[in-house]
């Protein structure tokens, strides 16, 4: 994997990330495809909207259908019909958020499947093996995700565990299984990102970043943020972390966030994002528009025949009215979920496109100000 910063503007960076399944222009937003599927869109539809890279979940794919089956299908790219880049998480976040019964030891984390209750052991080595069998382009290290707020002593111990697991992920042997011809790239070409933790303690964040850089990764993610803390605290943690990460490698802020969060993080030097907001919110009728969020279920849209977002050029806004979209959602039509997802994904991808264009022109600060003025300033 090669990463190149093309231009910087007011702290923001426009770069290009080259993977074995193609280029990703950054800053980028990775659309969520949890179980190898974007909820409501096929990958090519996402691509037409500007999607460059999808994020799939190791935890979900390990439990169902299992990485062995995906490997036999030729890897996740062949299985889900997408030949562009795929990033996989380590499974850690889901273990800590979905599984009620779990036990963390130095060895790894044992948990009960949320599907059938069976006991599963996830170690750093196992997480890497699963991600390699999926054929991931960018793999993530297994890390421990802390609740918020979290006591300093616990955060410190957890940080030591996460660094230790990161070291083991880096040393994990490459998987050399027999691949189906349909898989174009052997799994040993996967890149690996370390994940900075450290709770809401700036010195622990700095320590985590420095320890990971010493181990050496292809890129660095910042995890454990947007977990209930106020936005200014999240930005403070970014400021405590980013200066200690290499300038010539990609930086990924995990699970963030709103359009405002993304703009603030881009300004602090973040290159990659993922978040469930555009897809999950769409299914609940919560839409992102250039004038701020909108709840399509509101009675006021019952006879509103204007487009969802007059400034959006996505296929949904070009063709359908707010009244029709509201009707679909209120009637429980599958088409409603699909069209609203389509728009929200388009909105996020267009935002990233516009952010990048503004950085290349050296006008990021002006873009951010203008966008937020129209969208609303809520952090
Ligand atoms: Zn639209």
């Amino acid at each position: 994997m090669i990463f190149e910063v093309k231009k910087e503007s007011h702290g923001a960076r426009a770069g290009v990330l080259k993977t074995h399944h193609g280029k990703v222009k950054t800053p980028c937003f990775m659309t969520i495809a949890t179980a190898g599927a974007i909820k409501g869109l096929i990958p090519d539809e996402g691509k037409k909207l500007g999607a460059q890279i999808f994020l799939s979940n190791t935890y979900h794919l390990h439990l169902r259908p299992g990485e062995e089956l995906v490997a036999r299908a030729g890897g996740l790219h062949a299985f889900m019909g997408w030949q562009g880049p795929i990033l996989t998480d380590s499974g850690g976040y889901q273990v800590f958020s979905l599984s009620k019964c779990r036990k963390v030891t130095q060895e790894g984390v044992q948990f009960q499947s949320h599907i059938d209750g069976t006991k599963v052991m996830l170690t750093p080595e196992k997480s890497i093996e699963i991600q390699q069998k999926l054929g991931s382009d960018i793999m993530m290290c297994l890390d421990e995700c802390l609740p918020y707020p979290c006591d300093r002593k616990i955060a410190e111990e957890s940080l030591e565990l996460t660094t230790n697991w990161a070291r083991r992920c880096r040393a994990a042997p490459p998987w050399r299984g027999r691949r189906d011809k349909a898989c174009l790239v052997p799994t040993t070409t996967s890149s690996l990102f370390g994940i900075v933790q450290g709770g809401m303690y700036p010195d622990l964040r700095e320590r985590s970043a420095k320890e990971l850089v010493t181990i050496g990764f292809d890129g660095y993610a910042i995890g454990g943020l947007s977990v209930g803390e106020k936005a200014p605290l999240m930005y403070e943690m970014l400021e405590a972390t980013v200066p200690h990460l290499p300038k010539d490698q990609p930086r990924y802020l995990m699970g963030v966030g709103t359009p405002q969060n993304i703009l603030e993080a881009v300004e602090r030097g973040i290159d990659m994002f993922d978040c469930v907001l555009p897809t999950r919110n769409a299914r609940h009728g919560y839409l992102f528009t250039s004038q701020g969020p909108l709840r399509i279920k509101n009675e006021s849209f019952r006879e509103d025949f204007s487009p969802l977002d007059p400034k959006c050029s996505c296929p949904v806004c070009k063709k359908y009215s707010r009244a029709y979209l509201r009707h679909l959602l209120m009637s429980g039509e599958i088409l409603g979920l699909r069209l609203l997802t389509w728009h929200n994904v388009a909105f996020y991808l267009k935002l990233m496109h516009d952010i990048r264009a503004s950085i290349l022109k050296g006008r990021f600060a002006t873009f951010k100000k203008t966008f937020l003025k129209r969208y609303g300033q809520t952090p």
Side-chain angles (χ1 to χ4, degrees):
M1 194 187 78
I2 301 164
F3 181 67
E4 203 182 331
V5 177
K6 298 281 185 190
K7 174 104 182 174
E8 290 188 47
S9 169
H10 305 90
R13 326 188 316 158
V16 178
L17 181 65
K18 289 178 189 162
T19 76
H20 287 275
H21 280 90
K23 288 181 193 172
V24 179
K25 291 177 179 175
T26 63
C28 72
F29 182 80
M30 299 183 279
T31 311
I32 307 273
T34 300
I38 311 148
K39 293 188 195 306
L41 292 181
I42 59 172
D44 283 347
E45 288 169 335
K47 189 180 179 181
K48 278 186 192 156
L49 299 175
Q52 310 177 78
I53 174 168
F54 296 117
L55 184 153
S56 287
N57 295 87
T58 293
Y59 171 93
H60 290 277
L61 290 167
H62 173 59
L63 295 183
R64 192 169 54 192
E67 65 279 8
E68 303 289 346
L69 185 145
V70 176
R72 286 197 296 278
L76 189 55
H77 296 83
F79 193 49
M80 68 181 277
W82 166 249
Q83 286 309 319
I86 295 175
L87 181 145
T88 49
D89 65 8
S90 66
Y93 180 79
Q94 278 74 25
V95 169
F96 292 99
S97 60
L98 288 178
S99 179
K100 290 186 180 76
C101 291
R102 57 173 186 269
K103 191 176 167 208
V104 183
T105 61
Q106 285 295 324
E107 179 56 21
V109 52
Q110 190 180 59
F111 63 95
Q112 266 191 316
S113 157
H114 76 286
I115 299 169
D116 59 10
T118 50
K119 279 190 181 170
V120 183
M121 181 71 181
L122 190 65
T123 64
E125 293 80 9
K126 182 70 184 171
S127 172
I128 296 299
E129 184 191 324
I130 298 169
Q131 295 181 70
Q132 288 186 339
K133 286 180 177 174
L134 294 173
S136 172
D137 293 290
I138 302 174
M139 307 186 293
M140 304 303 298
C141 287
L142 184 66
D143 60 334
E144 188 183 21
C145 304
L146 293 172
Y148 173 78
C150 175
D151 184 72
R152 184 185 165 93
K153 194 168 181 301
I154 293 172
E156 205 165 351
E157 285 170 4
S158 171
L159 171 57
E160 282 162 19
L161 184 72
T162 290
T163 303
N164 187 23
W165 284 359
R167 201 172 285 117
R168 282 166 57 191
C169 283
R170 180 82 281 183
W175 177 66
R176 298 188 191 282
R178 194 173 69 81
R179 305 290 305 192
D180 187 284
K181 280 180 192 164
C183 187
L184 301 173
V185 177
T187 48
T188 46
T189 55
S190 306
S191 304
L192 180 63
F193 280 26
I195 306 176
V196 175
Q197 288 286 352
M200 300 300 161
Y201 302 97
D203 60 318
L204 294 186
R205 288 274 164 190
E206 178 181 339
R207 185 178 138 193
S208 176
K210 285 179 173 171
E211 287 176 354
L212 291 176
V213 172
T214 304
I215 299 168
F217 290 94
D218 302 300
Y220 296 87
I222 303 173
L225 294 179
S226 194
V227 287
E229 81 281 12
K230 291 235 161 59
L233 183 56
M234 172 166 76
Y235 306 145
E236 190 189 325
M237 292 306 113
L238 291 181
E239 286 160 13
T241 309
V242 172
H244 307 289
L245 298 176
K247 284 198 171 102
D248 57 353
Q249 287 184 281
R251 304 157 181 165
Y252 161 30
L253 176 55
M254 304 181 84
V256 177
T258 63
Q260 296 99 322
N261 294 156
I262 289 178
L263 284 162
E264 294 294 340
V266 164
E267 193 169 43
R268 288 163 175 84
I270 300 295
D271 309 298
M272 302 164 74
F273 298 88
D274 83 277
C275 192
V276 292
L277 278 182
T279 40
R280 182 182 289 167
N281 282 7
R283 300 196 294 277
H284 295 287
Y286 188 95
L287 286 318
F288 295 94
T289 82
S290 53
Q291 268 109 47
L294 168 159
R295 282 185 193 277
I296 197 71
K297 284 184 181 174
N298 284 357
E299 179 68 20
S300 58
F301 300 124
R302 213 173 107 84
E303 287 201 40
D304 185 340
F305 303 117
S306 64
L308 195 50
D309 181 355
K311 289 201 181 299
C312 177
S313 58
C314 87
V316 179
C317 292
K318 270 187 185 164
K319 200 158 190 175
Y320 305 104
S321 67
R322 291 172 173 182
Y324 180 63
L325 294 168
R326 180 178 183 277
H327 156 69
L328 291 180
L329 199 64
M330 299 305 272
S331 315
E333 288 291 339
I334 294 170
L335 183 62
L337 303 179
R338 190 166 137 68
L339 294 181
L340 294 175
T341 301
W342 205 327
H343 163 79
N344 266 3
V345 170
F347 179 87
Y348 263 67
L349 295 172
K350 174 76 167 40
L351 170 65
M352 302 315 293
H353 173 272
D354 291 349
I355 288 175
R356 191 171 194 276
S358 76
I359 298 170
L360 289 174
K361 284 183 203 152
R363 296 177 53 82
F364 174 73
T366 313
F367 173 81
K368 181 187 164 204
K369 201 173 156 192
T370 313
F371 179 92
L372 289 177
K373 194 174 172 194
R374 200 170 55 214
Y375 188 86
Q377 290 279 359
T378 358

